[in-house]
Amino acid sequence: MIDAATYFAAKLAHETDPSDVYAAQKAGESLTLVDVRSDEAWRQGRISGAVHLPYREIAARAAEEIPLGTPVVVYCWSPGCNAGTRGALEFARLGYEVREMIGGYEYWVREGQPTENDEGALPRTFDPLTMVVQG
């Protein structure tokens, strides 16, 4: 059994959230954001700048598409979806530095961060239940 401090430190080492990922992108930090959802979900909407690699295909495709040593952040739909965890596990098994973005696409959208689909940028909305909205 581990103590609380060890547990939470380990959790933070392997998770991140939409606000921190967006801040890292804006700061120019090196990371590859990976959408592990289905093709249909990807076409409906995704985080701008993300790479699409469904979690079931990571073992076969990751090494060809994302250089080992590249920090990876994975996301799926929402807190109710465990595809992000499945994707993170696959990347970890391959030796990548990987974190899961908690909240997934849902919370990215709710925080008003940039999204797009095949037609281009999607409208940005800001949900006061997930963030402070400046008026």
Side-chain angles (χ1 to χ4, degrees):
M1 182 181 241
I2 61 174
D3 63 42
T6 302
Y7 169 79
F8 288 112
K11 184 175 177 176
L12 288 172
H14 301 291
E15 289 181 350
T16 188
D17 63 34
S19 294
D20 288 345
V21 171
Y22 187 57
Q25 285 180 325
K26 286 176 39 178
E29 291 182 26
S30 175
L31 65 86
T32 297
L33 188 57
V34 179
D35 185 319
V36 300
R37 301 173 303 150
S38 69
D39 292 340
E40 296 82 8
W42 171 261
R43 284 191 299 273
Q44 181 175 311
R46 64 232 178 213
I47 296 173
S48 299
V51 171
H52 185 224
L53 189 53
Y55 75 88
R56 288 183 176 97
E57 300 174 19
I58 291 169
R61 293 177 43 200
E64 295 174 14
E65 298 181 29
I66 302 170
L68 190 61
T70 303
V72 172
V73 175
V74 298
Y75 72 90
C76 65
W77 274 112
S78 69
C81 173
N82 70 2
T85 303
R86 292 171 188 266
L89 177 58
E90 288 300 318
F91 275 107
R93 285 178 173 157
L94 295 171
Y96 286 83
E97 174 189 334
V98 60
R99 291 179 294 158
E100 180 180 11
M101 187 176 77
I102 60 172
Y105 181 70
E106 175 189 354
Y107 276 75
W108 183 274
V109 170
R110 292 176 74 181
E111 290 183 12
Q113 314 306 12
T115 58
E116 62 188 39
N117 62 18
D118 292 344
E119 285 74 50
L122 295 170
R124 294 175 74 175
T125 57
F126 301 90
D127 184 344
L129 295 176
T130 62
M131 62 180 298
V132 175
V133 177
Q134 304 297 321

